[in-house]
Amino acid sequence: GQNIDQPTEMTATEGAIVQINCTYQTSGFNGLFWYQQHAGEAPTFLSYNVLDGLEEKGRFSSFLSRSKGYSYLLLKELQMKDSASYLCAVRPAGGYQKVTFGTGTKLQVIP
Amino acid sequence: EAGVAQSPRYKIIEKRQSVAFWCNPISGHATLYWYQQILGQGPKLLIQFQNNGVVDDSQLPKDRFSAERLKGVDSTLKIQPAKLEDSAVYLCASSSGGNPGEQYFGPGTRLTVT
């Protein structure tokens, strides 16, 4: 099975940088996703990591260390609209593209 | 490109009643997922279809939940009879099967069981 851990809540200041961590334990590993979910809305895809290292995409970057079972999502130049839940999701080895979602980290950006 | 469509958006029923949700995935997406998301939690996979076949329904409470995707396109999820603990948002998602195979979610159906 899979076990995914994320902090429940975080608060950060507009314009700052915030790092949201995710640790996981899986029976096999085939990639890690980050999704953003605004309150009352559906999740939307942010990033995908399958190899170790940092993937940068504009203000958002995602890092993966497979040996440590660890990932983080880095948000730079925070904006008020970044207030949302950030979901870490792990794809185990095997077919069918199934993923297991963590409980999410609720980020509040304050002025 | 049209997104994933779901209906209804909201539903209120009494316990022991039945309810059905509908989902139309993005055109051409072979994989369709139904998730249950309880407030404050991440989405929990209920069932995953590849075309019209079930590839994972290990977390579907089969005594009360059923789902079908008869023609490999749209899908319905049914609950009969509903319990109070079924109150949640039911999300439908689809993916193309390519790499990385990110999922595209519909707006969800918010179910309240009273």
Side-chain angles (χ1 to χ4, degrees):
Chain A
Q2 290 87 46
N3 187 34
I4 302 171
D5 289 311
Q6 305 179 235
T8 304
E9 295 182 347
M10 297 182 71
T11 301
T13 305
E14 189 177 14
I17 299 173
V18 70
Q19 178 174 311
I20 301 174
N21 296 324
C22 171
T23 58
Y24 62 89
Q25 295 174 312
T26 65
S27 51
F29 177 82
N30 205 19
L32 185 145
F33 293 83
W34 283 96
Y35 284 81
Q36 179 190 58
Q37 186 175 27
H38 285 101
E41 298 182 12
T44 56
F45 169 75
L46 288 178
S47 68
Y48 174 70
N49 293 73
V50 64
L51 300 176
D52 289 352
L54 187 68
E55 296 277 346
E56 297 187 75
K57 189 185 295 185
R59 293 190 300 114
F60 292 9
S61 302
S62 57
F63 172 83
L64 176 67
S65 169
R66 290 172 298 172
S67 62
K68 296 182 179 178
Y70 168 69
S71 173
Y72 66 73
L73 182 68
L74 192 71
L75 290 73
K76 304 175 185 176
E77 301 170 14
L78 280 174
Q79 302 175 9
M80 299 300 291
K81 67 178 182 180
D82 297 330
S83 293
S85 287
Y86 292 86
L87 300 163
C88 173
V90 175
R91 173 177 289 165
Y96 305 120
Q97 298 192 322
K98 173 184 175 179
V99 297
T100 299
F101 283 87
T103 56
T105 298
K106 186 176 181 180
L107 173 67
Q108 183 181 15
V109 180
I110 58 176
Chain B
E1 178 181 80
V4 177
Q6 288 188 249
S7 66
R9 292 294 311 277
Y10 304 91
K11 190 74 177 179
I12 301 174
I13 61 173
E14 296 181 350
K15 59 183 179 183
R16 290 187 290 274
Q17 287 187 325
S18 62
V19 64
F21 312 126
W22 175 82
C23 172
N24 192 31
I26 291 174
S27 177
H29 280 194
T31 310
L32 184 148
Y33 314 78
W34 282 103
Y35 290 91
Q36 180 192 60
Q37 187 172 27
I38 293 172
L39 189 64
Q41 299 183 18
K44 170 189 167 185
L45 180 69
L46 293 175
I47 190 166
Q48 178 181 345
F49 292 94
Q50 185 76 12
N51 296 306
N52 61 348
V54 175
V55 297
D56 191 319
D57 63 356
S58 57
Q59 298 191 96
L60 186 74
K62 298 179 185 65
D63 58 334
R64 299 185 299 106
F65 286 63
S66 64
E68 60 183 15
R69 193 185 185 198
L70 292 176
K71 297 181 179 179
V73 181
D74 56 350
S75 175
T76 56
L77 176 71
K78 297 179 182 178
I79 308 175
Q80 182 180 9
K83 293 184 176 181
L84 295 177
E85 59 260 36
D86 298 332
S87 294
V89 175
Y90 290 84
L91 293 165
C92 178
S94 69
S95 65
S96 64
N99 189 35
E102 69 269 29
Q103 297 180 26
Y104 295 83
F105 286 82
T109 297
R110 182 175 297 277
L111 174 67
T112 303
V113 182
T114 63

